[in-house]
Amino acid sequence: MNLLYLFLEFFKIGLFTFGGGYAMIPLIRETVLKYNWISETEFYDLIGVCESTPGPIAVNMATFIGASQGGFGGSLLATLGVVLPSFIVIIIVALILDKFIQNKYVKQFMKGVKPVVASLIISSGLLLIAKNLGYVNMTTFNFSSRGAILLACVIGIYFLYKLIFKKKMNTILLIIISAGLGLLVCFYIP
Amino acid sequence: MKELLELFYVFLKLGLFTFGGGYAMIANIEDQVVNRKKWITQDEMVEIIAIAESTPGPIAINMATYIGFKRKKFLGALFATLGVVLPSLIIIYLISLFYDNFSSNQYFQWAFIGVKACVGFLIIKAGINLVIKMDKKFYPFFVLVVVISLMIVFELFNISFSSVYLILIGGSIEVLALLVVNLYNKKKESEPKLKEEEGQIIDNNDNKDKKEDQK
């Protein structure tokens, strides 16, 4: 039964997320918390893992969450769920391509979706940062100096790299450096 | 059959060697499929990117399915999509097997406190990149403020409201606005002379009014 939900929820995520990987993060977060598939901490760890392994982030996350619920079968079902809507929609679009792309209502719909997706991504980023800094809920905030120092370091390193090398830093490199910084900061600040 | 296997192999390579998801994938697909294999032209590639972005789902999957379908119809789509998904499925499944052993380790947890700080930054960065690409008009930024405020309120007061609805509402408002404008223009057309230019101006004003009404 759980496996069926796994498939259906990821199918829904695949069907309603426009704009790829990061746009899926808010929806996947809502879903895993609703069903208690993995904890919120694990979820954010997972984003780090999925960013630094090859392949589309959405597929990586579906595979991992699926595995946590039902082993390899779970992985397979969750991945199938997230891929299937794309597969079906694209084949339909390929068959009636011109009409779809020219359709002004489709264009208009996408125009309306874009700012919403951007807001959802930014909100989920803000929430994670707030949590890193010690936000628990409306009445509780335990300021974390570790979190603040790490955030400052990550932002500092990213922009310093950009300033010195005149190009954007590779995401995987930034994640690896952050992991090292995490070890260092947590070692010195109890 | 040979071509199907080739599709599978090329997309398998793309799935295996592309880090960082969708947008990193676009550059790699261009290199492999347009420059090397010459399966599609540059113009078609631009078209495919537009389609992949305006259909739901991961961009990499959309592109693989579309290119596969163009080459070899349904089976082509199947092989290309399988190719791009398979490396993720195998690698992440293997990681998930060992993940529980790692996750109780203290050093692992420390490292991931650092990773989490980085992920927060990366997510915000991805969001801001989208904002930069948005139309520089009042309405999209208005939506931005409203939706972010809503999400903060939802979080603070523990309200569960699926983001799917926000996405659908956002898209529908624009479509609705267009329908209203069309209706308005049709009425205008019965009166001669006032066509294109007037329509444009009305379009803008009407859009704004509509949104305020919706609120």
Side-chain angles (χ1 to χ4, degrees):
Chain A
M1 206 53 200
N2 200 2
L3 288 184
L4 183 68
Y5 280 118
L6 202 63
F7 174 77
L8 290 177
E9 284 296 337
F10 274 99
F11 190 87
K12 195 171 94 182
I13 292 168
L15 189 59
F16 288 111
T17 336
F18 297 87
Y22 277 99
M24 287 199 176
I25 287 175
L27 288 185
I28 296 181
R29 179 177 165 275
E30 279 168 21
T31 309
V32 296
L33 295 184
K34 189 169 112 197
Y35 288 94
N36 262 322
W37 282 336
I38 55 174
S39 74
E40 196 167 11
T41 320
E42 278 178 306
F43 175 75
Y44 291 122
D45 292 354
L46 183 58
I47 299 176
V49 173
C50 292
E51 263 283 352
S52 27
T53 43
I57 295 172
V59 174
N60 292 349
M61 296 189 80
T63 305
F64 192 100
I65 294 165
S68 77
Q69 292 309 299
F72 190 70
S75 287
L76 212 59
L77 274 177
T79 308
L80 196 67
V82 88
V83 169
L84 216 52
S86 294
F87 192 75
I88 297 168
V89 170
I90 290 287
I91 286 181
I92 294 172
V93 168
L95 288 170
I96 49 164
L97 165 71
D98 294 335
K99 282 178 205 152
F100 178 80
I101 285 294
Q102 304 303 333
N103 189 319
K104 56 183 174 180
Y105 295 106
V106 172
K107 277 186 191 161
Q108 198 72 13
F109 187 82
M110 288 315 301
K111 214 170 114 190
V113 164
K114 267 182 206 160
V116 179
V117 168
S119 329
L120 291 178
I121 295 174
I122 291 178
S123 331
S124 59
L126 285 177
L127 181 64
L128 174 55
I129 289 179
K131 289 203 163 152
N132 287 341
L133 293 178
Y135 164 81
V136 182
N137 57 40
M138 195 159 54
T139 47
T140 331
F141 192 93
N142 309 315
F143 180 72
S144 152
S145 46
R146 280 174 175 181
I149 292 171
L150 281 168
L151 181 65
C153 288
V154 170
I155 295 174
I157 288 171
Y158 178 80
F159 284 105
L160 208 65
Y161 184 93
K162 208 172 173 182
L163 201 73
I164 296 171
F165 295 100
K166 303 270 182 257
K167 62 174 183 182
K168 280 182 186 165
M169 193 172 188
N170 185 314
T171 307
I172 299 164
L173 183 62
L174 190 62
I175 290 178
I176 292 170
I177 292 176
S178 308
L181 279 172
L183 280 171
L184 210 71
V185 170
C186 293
F187 186 75
Y188 285 108
I189 304 173
Chain B
M1 194 62 206
K2 189 170 166 267
E3 209 171 334
L4 284 179
L5 287 178
E6 212 181 346
L7 267 171
F8 177 76
Y9 174 68
V10 165
F11 277 97
L12 188 80
K13 263 199 310 195
L14 286 166
L16 190 58
F17 293 113
T18 312
F19 290 84
Y23 288 95
M25 191 70 96
I26 291 178
N28 289 351
I29 289 183
E30 212 168 340
D31 181 52
Q32 283 286 329
V33 177
V34 181
N35 299 342
R36 279 168 213 249
K37 294 285 172 189
K38 304 212 187 309
W39 281 341
I40 52 170
T41 63
Q42 190 69 47
D43 285 346
E44 282 176 306
M45 185 71 192
V46 173
E47 208 169 69
I48 292 171
I49 294 172
I51 295 168
E53 282 185 334
S54 49
T55 45
I59 291 174
I61 307 288
N62 294 345
M63 295 182 79
T65 307
Y66 191 82
I67 295 169
F69 191 85
K70 272 219 136 170
R71 298 291 298 164
K72 285 267 142 194
K73 296 293 165 210
F74 185 78
L75 279 179
L78 195 66
F79 274 71
T81 310
L82 272 180
V84 86
V85 169
L86 219 51
S88 291
L89 190 68
I90 293 167
I91 292 172
I92 296 286
Y93 178 68
L94 291 178
I95 289 177
S96 79
L97 289 182
F98 301 106
Y99 184 79
D100 284 341
N101 301 340
F102 286 125
S103 62
S104 51
N105 178 302
Q106 191 189 25
Y107 296 107
F108 181 87
Q109 286 171 357
W110 284 358
F112 267 92
I113 290 178
V115 171
K116 246 181 278 177
C118 177
V119 169
F121 172 68
L122 288 177
I123 296 178
I124 296 262
K125 206 161 68 69
I128 290 175
N129 281 344
L130 281 185
V131 173
I132 292 169
K133 277 191 268 172
M134 264 170 16
D135 289 341
K136 301 286 176 289
K137 281 187 190 148
F138 169 75
Y139 176 63
F141 285 88
F142 174 71
V143 171
L144 200 71
V145 173
V146 170
V147 175
I148 291 178
S149 321
L150 270 178
M151 292 305 284
I152 292 173
V153 170
F154 289 164
E155 167 61 32
L156 285 177
F157 295 94
N158 228 337
I159 302 167
S160 62
F161 184 82
S162 175
S163 314
V164 170
Y165 298 127
L166 292 176
I167 293 173
L168 293 179
I169 293 171
S172 309
I173 290 178
E174 284 281 357
V175 173
L176 225 68
L178 184 69
L179 284 174
V180 172
V181 170
N182 280 355
L183 222 72
Y184 196 86
N185 284 355
K186 255 181 204 151
K187 270 185 197 164
K188 279 265 161 192
E189 264 170 40
S190 50
E191 304 163 30
K193 280 181 189 174
L194 291 166
K195 267 191 186 168
E196 294 290 289
E197 290 169 38
E198 278 281 322
Q200 280 306 97
I201 297 159
I202 290 162
D203 192 317
N204 286 338
N205 292 337
D206 212 69
N207 262 352
K208 273 179 202 166
D209 293 343
K210 268 249 35 103
K211 265 97 242 186
E212 248 94 50
D213 288 348
Q214 291 284 342
K215 277 274 86 187

